[in-house]
Amino acid sequence: MNPTTPSWEKIRADFPILDQQVHGTPLIYFDNAATSQKPRAVIDALRHYYERDNSNVHRGMHELSARATAGYEEARVKVARFLNAGSEKEIIFTRGATESINLVAQTWGNQFVRAGDVILVTEMEHHSNLVPWQLLAERTGATLRILPINDRHELALDRLGEFLTPDVKLFAFNQISNSLGTINPVAELCAAARKVGAVTLVDAAQSGGHLSIDVQTLGCDFLALSGHKMCGPTGIGALYGKLALLETMPPWQGGGEMIETVEYEKSTWKKPPYRFEAGTPDISGAIGLGVAIDYLESIGREAIFKHDAELTRYAHEKLVAIPGLRVLGPPLGTPRGAVLSFVFGDAHAHDVVTKANEHGIALRGGHHCTQPLMRKLGLTSSARASFYFYNTKAEIDRMIEMLTPSEVSPEASPAFSLPLGEIYEMVVSDHARRPRNFGELAGDSVVHVHGDNPSCGDTLDLHVQFGPDKVENVKFTGSGCTVCMTSASLMTLKLKGKPRAEAARLMHLFHDQVSAPADSETGSGPRELGDLNVLGGVRKFPQRVKCAMLAWRAFEQALQESGHERAEVSTEEPKGA
Ligand code: PMP
């Protein structure tokens, strides 16, 4: 541990990317749970490697190969030391936490999990620590069991005995939840698992760069680390595995580097860790990760955790004071990771995030790869601010200011619409709050189409009643961002009573209007589209075009299902235009 208090201001200056303006204001990067920024030392190490040392590892006899091999293997030693592993043989380089978990599911899982076994995960897992186990359960006939969370958004430890039974073969859980910020009691969970003979895997993607981790004290069998969330490059991560376990596991990918001898008919494998590293690895990535570890250790991991915790507490206090805003995860005062996900009245997370972006603030909105958790909480998405040691309280103040309802818009949740002007604000907030034709239709002539945007959680059910040659009625239900809801509401008004061919033509017009090049001038847009033209400005936000098009794509499908020719209703760009 570093005995002196680090100079956070000086440390921030180590991150060149932070010194820039976005939309005319200094960048505020609060998306650290997705990926952290990289200090100059890591960037320089990558440059140095490619300028001076680049070569393939292990096989070469020449100077550059020796340097590349030494750099790569030194990085393995650094990761082992960082986690207090018993030996560097317990560290396998992977592409990230996701690949680390998949490696265990594929090798250990295929070898040891059988029909009738139970794989235990928790309700707060990232898809990376859920889907590989679903696939393993499908392959083997094992059962996937889910440990619930309680009202405080912590694991329901009082029910652990009910779920962690002797038929549990593997218990996989995260150390810090990327959606809730909850810190799980890893040592306690591992001890409980040991008692029933279950192997443990800790997903340390969110904790690796924030907490001091000692795998021997924690007592876990496997631990997945993500390099890019702890100042390292993207594309590199590590799996820690107890050597005794790794030695029992077959390879998962075949190729160079992982073999001892190869004959045409069969081969033999190297010992761990090389058995699990087929092909040319990410050499520069591993070296960069090693430098990131040096960097974090030079600041001091306890100092980092304390500083992150202080920033998070500061932001948490201010966020919960905003009327209508609810922070997910353990209540204020409980230790948590540097992650604050929140919902804000009826504002959709994407609208919050788009507004933040206009203020130069990088937040994330969506389901954060925890769809089942969001569903459990009755949400489709949340906005998320996540911090790292280079962030400041002044940056948090700017975010709070952006989120605080102004005197002009004093409702509990301000209208988080795209910054496209007054008419847009009027129309969009009106339709998003009071969608027209909201409901269902029934009957033989009704076509029902379900549509969703999986990446943002918008869902919509469209009901279209077709007459012999026209759209008799259109209704919809669902939930989504302001753009999605406004577009659906206006669409139903526009299409009701229109001849089918005319409806298809309007669909084309609208598609062209929202997906034209961002800088193209279309004036006020085609007269026939009326109020729908306010959504034309969405073209400046390419990631939002799919929100505007969701209802229309559902309508396109309804037209097809009712027997209309696809060529007439396609919303794709005309070929060769
Ligand atoms: N688990 C958690 C809890 C995460 O937050 C993430 C990344 N968002 C992952 C796993 C996947 O990590 P990686 O990007 O290194 O594959």
Side-chain angles (χ1 to χ4, degrees):
M1 196 183 99
N2 192 337
T4 56
T5 307
S7 160
W8 298 111
E9 207 177 317
K10 255 175 82 188
I11 286 168
R12 183 181 165 91
D14 291 337
F15 293 81
I17 202 168
L18 298 177
D19 184 19
Q20 63 173 298
Q21 304 256 318
V22 167
H23 298 304
T25 51
L27 164 70
I28 295 179
Y29 186 77
F30 284 166
D31 196 15
N32 294 286
T35 198
S36 69
Q37 296 304 346
K38 322 301 171 198
R40 202 179 304 277
V42 170
I43 299 167
D44 288 350
L46 295 178
R47 175 191 290 272
H48 177 90
Y49 173 77
Y50 282 115
E51 284 183 353
R52 306 295 303 167
D53 299 339
N54 176 47
S55 180
N56 214 327
V57 286
H58 298 145
R59 288 162 295 203
M61 304 287 242
H62 56 80
E63 172 64 21
L64 294 195
S65 179
R67 279 193 227 150
T69 304
Y72 183 69
E73 291 304 327
E74 273 164 28
R76 196 190 303 277
V77 173
K78 287 179 190 176
V79 176
R81 198 187 59 221
F82 189 71
L83 298 176
N84 194 31
S87 145
E88 65 272 17
K89 292 182 193 148
E90 298 186 316
I91 304 300
I92 298 156
F93 281 121
T94 61
R95 284 193 294 131
T98 304
E99 192 171 81
S100 299
I101 297 167
N102 276 279
L103 190 162
V104 176
Q106 291 279 346
T107 66
W108 181 87
N110 286 1
Q111 181 87 342
F112 296 109
V113 174
R114 296 279 170 270
D117 289 340
V118 175
I119 302 160
L120 180 62
V121 296
T122 84
E123 275 184 341
M124 62 168 83
E125 295 315 312
H126 188 280
H127 297 164
S128 294
N129 200 24
L130 176 62
V131 180
W133 308 120
Q134 290 174 345
L135 292 171
L136 176 63
E138 269 171 33
R139 282 197 300 275
T140 58
T143 305
L144 194 63
R145 192 181 282 169
I146 320 284
L147 179 67
I149 57 169
N150 60 24
D151 291 347
R152 289 171 49 92
H153 297 175
E154 292 164 340
L155 293 179
L157 294 178
D158 53 331
R159 299 187 59 193
L160 188 60
E162 224 179 286
F163 286 81
L164 188 55
T165 47
D167 49 359
V168 173
K169 248 321 209 296
L170 175 105
F171 183 16
F173 52 89
N174 62 54
Q175 187 164 25
I176 295 181
S177 156
N178 67 308
S179 288
L180 302 173
T182 312
I183 304 180
N184 290 317
V186 174
E188 190 185 327
L189 296 173
C190 290
R194 261 196 312 280
K195 277 201 188 131
V196 297
V199 161
T200 45
L201 180 141
V202 178
D203 173 0
Q206 290 297 336
S207 52
H210 294 263
L211 290 177
S212 292
I213 294 180
D214 177 335
V215 286
Q216 300 192 54
T217 307
L218 293 177
C220 57
D221 294 301
F222 296 108
L223 184 134
L225 203 63
S226 173
H228 69 93
K229 295 185 204 281
M230 48 183 278
C231 296
T234 49
I236 189 75
L239 172 71
Y240 156 81
K242 272 189 184 148
L243 191 57
L245 270 174
L246 293 180
E247 279 168 346
T248 64
M249 288 159 46
W252 74 311
Q253 291 175 341
E257 295 286 322
M258 48 74 72
I259 49 83
E260 210 150 60
T261 60
V262 178
E263 292 169 47
Y264 280 116
E265 295 77 20
K266 62 178 172 53
S267 306
T268 57
W269 323 128
K270 276 194 181 138
K271 291 188 184 323
Y274 305 110
R275 182 185 300 169
F276 305 106
E277 292 181 3
T280 301
D282 183 355
I283 306 163
S284 62
I287 292 171
L289 176 59
V291 173
I293 285 175
D294 292 342
Y295 181 79
L296 295 177
E297 286 179 337
S298 75
I299 300 172
R301 288 157 80 189
E302 286 182 29
I304 289 173
F305 179 71
K306 254 178 79 179
H307 189 63
D308 290 351
E310 173 58 20
L311 288 174
T312 309
R313 188 199 53 76
Y314 182 79
H316 197 165
E317 262 175 22
K318 298 206 166 220
L319 281 175
V320 293
I322 297 177
L325 191 149
R326 181 163 68 92
V327 175
L328 309 182
L332 188 59
T334 313
R336 66 187 288 150
V339 171
L340 291 168
S341 296
F342 56 92
V343 284
F344 201 170
D346 57 5
H348 191 279
H350 276 190
D351 299 319
V352 177
V353 170
T354 306
K355 181 173 176 190
N357 183 47
E358 282 301 299
H359 290 248
I361 305 171
L363 301 182
R364 187 153 290 253
H367 50 63
H368 314 298
C369 291
T370 52
Q371 273 185 15
L373 174 65
M374 288 292 139
R375 232 170 270 129
K376 150 103 189 181
L377 300 176
L379 304 168
T380 51
S381 64
S382 67
R384 182 181 75 185
S386 52
F387 313 110
Y388 214 4
F389 52 83
Y390 39 71
N391 291 129
T392 66
K393 287 185 178 171
E395 290 180 317
I396 291 170
D397 289 340
R398 259 185 59 200
M399 174 182 75
I400 298 296
E401 200 183 313
M402 181 276 296
L403 290 168
T404 303
S406 65
E407 280 163 30
V408 186
S409 173
E411 302 110 328
S413 60
F416 281 108
S417 42
L418 302 182
L420 293 172
E422 250 173 63
I423 301 171
Y424 174 92
E425 294 269 343
M426 267 163 49
V427 176
V428 169
S429 59
D430 178 29
H431 281 267
R433 281 164 200 268
R434 270 190 327 115
R436 315 301 197 275
N437 297 311
F438 197 80
E440 297 180 356
L441 293 170
D444 288 348
S445 57
V446 173
V447 178
H448 169 209
V449 176
H450 175 76
D452 56 22
N453 284 328
S455 61
C456 56
D458 292 344
T459 68
L460 187 133
D461 284 273
L462 190 71
H463 301 258
V464 188
Q465 185 183 7
F466 287 101
D469 207 32
K470 68 174 185 174
V471 177
E472 295 282 0
N473 203 353
V474 198
K475 288 196 168 197
F476 77 104
T477 58
S479 69
C481 62
T482 48
V483 173
C484 170
M485 298 304 274
T486 305
S487 182
S489 174
L490 288 169
M491 181 190 84
T492 58
L493 290 175
K494 180 59 67 188
L495 298 185
K496 205 165 159 177
K498 290 280 182 313
R500 296 163 68 115
E502 172 65 1
R505 195 179 69 79
L506 288 167
M507 185 174 65
H508 278 298
L509 264 184
F510 182 71
H511 176 254
D512 291 348
Q513 190 56 5
V514 292
S515 59
D519 55 358
S520 59
E521 271 307 326
T522 59
S524 51
R527 282 244 315 274
E528 304 104 293
L529 287 181
D531 277 353
L532 279 160
N533 279 311
V534 297
L535 291 166
V538 160
R539 74 183 59 160
K540 294 195 186 120
F541 306 87
Q543 68 278 38
R544 303 302 295 275
V545 171
K546 66 179 186 313
C547 310
M549 285 305 299
L550 182 62
W552 295 86
R553 294 211 182 280
F555 181 69
E556 178 187 25
Q557 198 181 324
L559 271 175
Q560 285 167 24
E561 286 183 19
S562 72
H564 208 65
E565 286 300 313
R566 182 181 172 79
E568 286 183 50
V569 299
S570 169
T571 54
E572 297 299 316
E573 295 291 348
K575 298 277 178 300

